Amino acid sequence: MKYVLLFVDTEQFHADLQAMTPDDRARAFGLVDAWVAEHRGVIRGGNKLQDAHTATTVRLDGPEPVVTDGPFVEGKEVVSGYFEIEVADLDEALRMAKSWPGCPVIEIRPLES
């Protein structure tokens, strides 16, 4: 099965990351790098997204499309990146997500076939 792991940052997580010393931040990113290396056999793609303020939103729910700068919703949580994975089932995707050393929220969604 193919799934997308959507990594969600919170305001608190972002603040904690910014408050880290450069050495602590490097160690934290090293844990993420090690996680990616451990799971490279099932990761099919993915990327880190730029900050939410760089988003452009197109709304199609009115008589004309409306384009606005910024994210679709204002919130305390933002999707910061994703991986597409191919694993046996949801249980395997959950095991991966539970061991993620980065941001505190991961949404798992199956991909359409």
Side-chain angles (χ1 to χ4, degrees):
M1 288 270 321
K2 289 186 178 180
Y3 294 92
V4 170
L5 305 180
L6 298 169
F7 300 105
V8 181
D9 285 355
T10 62
E11 288 179 348
Q12 185 62 52
F13 176 79
H14 184 73
D16 291 347
L17 192 62
Q18 295 305 310
M20 287 181 176
T21 66
D23 287 343
D24 287 342
R25 195 173 307 117
R27 276 190 286 282
F29 285 125
L31 292 173
V32 170
D33 290 343
W35 185 94
V36 171
E38 178 184 345
H39 296 96
R40 81 174 127 233
V42 297
I43 295 173
R44 301 295 178 250
N47 221 320
K48 174 128 177 70
L49 301 177
Q50 291 188 19
D51 289 340
H53 75 275
T54 66
T56 301
T57 301
V58 180
R59 294 190 65 94
L60 303 172
D61 55 355
E64 295 292 326
V66 176
V67 178
T68 56
D69 291 334
F72 170 67
V73 293
E74 295 292 329
K76 296 182 183 283
E77 297 180 340
V78 297
V79 175
S80 60
Y82 66 95
F83 281 128
E84 181 181 319
I85 61 172
E86 188 168 356
V87 294
D89 52 28
L90 178 60
D91 289 335
E92 188 174 347
L94 286 167
R95 279 191 296 279
M96 284 180 68
K98 289 177 181 179
S99 68
W100 174 247
C103 59
V105 179
I106 300 173
E107 182 175 329
I108 302 170
R109 288 198 199 175
L111 292 175
E112 299 266 345
S113 324

